[in-house]
Amino acid sequence: MSQVQAVETNNQSVSEAVIEAVAAAEGVRPTELAPLYDVVDPDALETVFAGKSSLGKVVFNYNSYEVTVDADGHVAIKDYSG
């Protein structure tokens, strides 16, 4: 694994933060990525972290990245390609 990138969700949805982080790491527009719903249910992801008062994290693979979403709003991606 290499290249870890972390972002805050701030005023955007968790799903948007994931897509934008992976797109930035790939150097492409978000619309050029495979749909997020192919690997995780975006509505469920939003529900889990809606109040940011939950505990834990969700980890899944998306576009050759391991994506970790923490309850505090951090989205981290780890590149598996190189």
Side-chain angles (χ1 to χ4, degrees):
M1 272 187 281
S2 63
Q3 191 181 29
V4 176
Q5 178 180 347
V7 297
E8 295 284 339
T9 53
N10 293 331
N11 293 326
Q12 64 187 156
S13 72
V14 175
S15 299
E16 289 172 338
V18 168
I19 292 167
E20 288 182 12
V22 172
E26 291 283 311
V28 299
R29 293 183 305 232
T31 56
E32 295 179 57
L33 297 175
L36 183 61
Y37 60 77
D38 284 349
V39 296
V40 68
D41 181 339
D43 292 332
L45 195 59
E46 298 305 326
T47 299
V48 168
F49 298 108
K52 293 191 181 181
S53 61
S54 58
L55 299 174
K57 62 184 174 183
V58 173
V59 180
F60 57 93
N61 293 324
Y62 178 51
N63 257 48
S64 76
Y65 291 87
E66 178 184 86
V67 178
T68 303
V69 181
D70 290 316
D72 62 3
H74 286 88
V75 175
I77 60 171
K78 296 179 187 175
D79 182 2
Y80 280 105
S81 65

